[in-house]
Amino acid sequence: MGLLSGPDRSEVAPKPAERTVLKKFHSARYLHALKKAAGGHWGAEALSMGIGTGDCPIFSDMYDYSAMAAGGSVMGAELLLSGGADAAFNPSGGLHHAGTERASGFCYMNDVALACIVLAEAGKKVLYLDIDVHHGDGVAYAFYERNDVMTISLHQNPRTLFPGTGFANEIGTGEGKGYCVNVPLPIGTYDEAYMKAFEAVALPLIKAFGPDVFVLQLGADALGGDPLAQLSLTNNTYGDVIGHVVSFDRPILAAGGGGYDIDNTVRAWAFAWSLLAGAEHDVLRDKPIAVGKQQRDAVEPAIEAVIKAVKANVFGLHGLQ
Ligand SMILES: [Zn+2]
């Protein structure tokens, strides 16, 4: 569709993230275990860090693959810092579940946490926005005590979905209190209900924070029909969220994430990039998904409740009503 080239667009080959960069987030012990496991050496210590589980199996290129995915996001962050790009997209990134010393949820290295660290080290106020259907736990907890990176995650209610965290009362601690925002959404959440929550809580908080740069995790598993989750969004919501972010006129690093209906995911990310690149292709938009009365009646009160909870927990800390 001509979206990867042109006078002001290009594809950039990523370089694998160096060990010194990976150590900004991951422990030496963990990186060592990951590399050893990739070489066929695996035992109880690696297993205790989530390596070699059902969700995070061992494969021979796991270290190199993960370092390449991380390198893509780090390179994107560096391009924003150098002024080499206003927007960058790493569809292979968004591996938001990986912890300092933990493989989790198909994620071995947390490229988005690393990108946020690189940007924060350059003195930038970073707004991390995660619209994957799962809680962005690895990133949220990486910055749980910091106020230079605000994390906002909208996701399916953790009572009904992996990883079981991301409740509205998880708001950060110490200096980071109020800089971790979680918006758990009920099963069946549809476009209009999602945008109501986004506009009621995420937008005012982003404005109050005043970020220098955005990091977006665009997991496409919140789309209706995803086999791993139960939200009912179309990619029009992804477009609306990106439209709001673009309106802040700040550099944007976008990453992929989950997305297990492959056709829908490919279309959502192509659509997302078309918007970030200023070359919107309406043909990539999803058709609306019909919403029944029963669904509306189930979703609406839960959305109202989560808006109320987030406002009560976080707004006062930012001088918002
Ligand atoms: Zn996900």
Side-chain angles (χ1 to χ4, degrees):
M1 300 181 82
L3 287 167
L4 302 177
S5 60
D8 53 1
R9 293 191 289 276
S10 62
E11 270 187 283
V12 184
K15 290 193 296 263
E18 303 275 356
R19 193 177 159 84
T20 48
V21 173
L22 296 171
K23 278 173 73 179
K24 291 176 189 288
F25 179 66
H26 293 290
S27 74
R29 174 178 169 255
Y30 175 71
L31 293 171
H32 182 68
L34 209 54
K35 195 153 213 171
K36 269 179 61 179
H41 305 283
W42 173 79
E45 193 191 12
L47 185 60
S48 77
M49 294 187 273
I51 300 167
T53 57
D55 276 2
C56 296
I58 291 165
F59 54 100
S60 58
D61 295 327
M62 61 197 283
Y63 187 96
D64 296 338
Y65 161 77
S66 302
M68 187 69 91
S73 291
V74 169
M75 178 177 275
E78 286 168 349
L79 278 169
L80 300 185
L81 287 172
S82 70
D86 300 318
F89 182 31
N90 173 16
S92 293
L95 302 167
H96 59 168
H97 295 306
T100 303
E101 215 163 66
R102 181 137 204 99
S104 173
F106 321 142
C107 305
Y108 301 86
M109 293 181 191
N110 198 321
D111 63 293
V112 267
L114 283 162
C116 289
I117 291 170
V118 167
L119 292 164
E121 277 183 357
K124 303 296 181 190
K125 287 175 81 174
V126 183
L127 194 293
Y128 173 77
L129 175 62
D130 187 321
I131 62 171
D132 191 282
V133 79
H134 303 94
H135 176 220
D137 54 349
V139 185
Y141 298 139
F143 302 102
Y144 210 63
E145 297 175 18
R146 288 171 61 161
N147 60 15
D148 55 345
V149 179
M150 177 183 271
T151 65
I152 301 178
S153 177
L154 295 95
H155 44 262
Q156 185 172 320
N157 189 325
R159 287 189 204 288
T160 61
L161 197 67
F162 177 90
T165 54
F167 292 96
N169 63 359
E170 294 178 48
I171 62 166
T173 57
E175 285 192 348
K177 190 174 176 186
Y179 292 84
C180 175
V181 181
N182 286 296
V183 186
L185 303 161
I187 286 173
T189 294
Y190 45 89
D191 289 334
E192 184 193 334
Y194 190 99
M195 287 314 295
K196 185 174 188 180
F198 181 85
E199 287 168 4
V201 298
L203 265 191
L205 287 165
I206 296 170
K207 281 181 189 153
F209 180 64
D212 298 314
V213 59
F214 284 89
V215 176
L216 304 183
Q217 201 274 16
L218 299 175
D221 42 12
L223 296 172
D226 190 275
L228 292 195
Q230 291 97 30
L231 297 196
S232 194
L233 304 182
T234 72
N235 68 19
N236 294 289
T237 284
Y238 286 61
D240 289 348
V241 167
I242 289 167
H244 278 299
V245 170
V246 166
S247 74
F248 283 88
D249 199 21
R250 295 285 183 272
I252 301 167
L253 171 65
Y260 307 97
D261 179 309
I262 305 300
D263 290 349
N264 286 349
T265 300
V266 168
R267 199 166 55 255
W269 288 348
F271 182 47
W273 175 243
S274 79
L275 295 171
L276 290 168
E280 182 172 347
H281 275 272
D282 270 334
V283 68
L284 293 166
R285 281 184 182 275
D286 288 344
K287 294 188 184 76
I289 299 176
V291 182
K293 184 179 182 310
Q294 204 179 1
Q295 185 181 359
R296 250 174 224 286
D297 289 349
V299 168
E300 265 176 28
I303 293 285
E304 293 298 339
V306 74
I307 290 172
K308 202 172 154 189
V310 175
K311 284 186 171 181
N313 292 337
V314 181
F315 269 34
L317 298 164
H318 298 281
L320 296 167
Q321 291 289 312

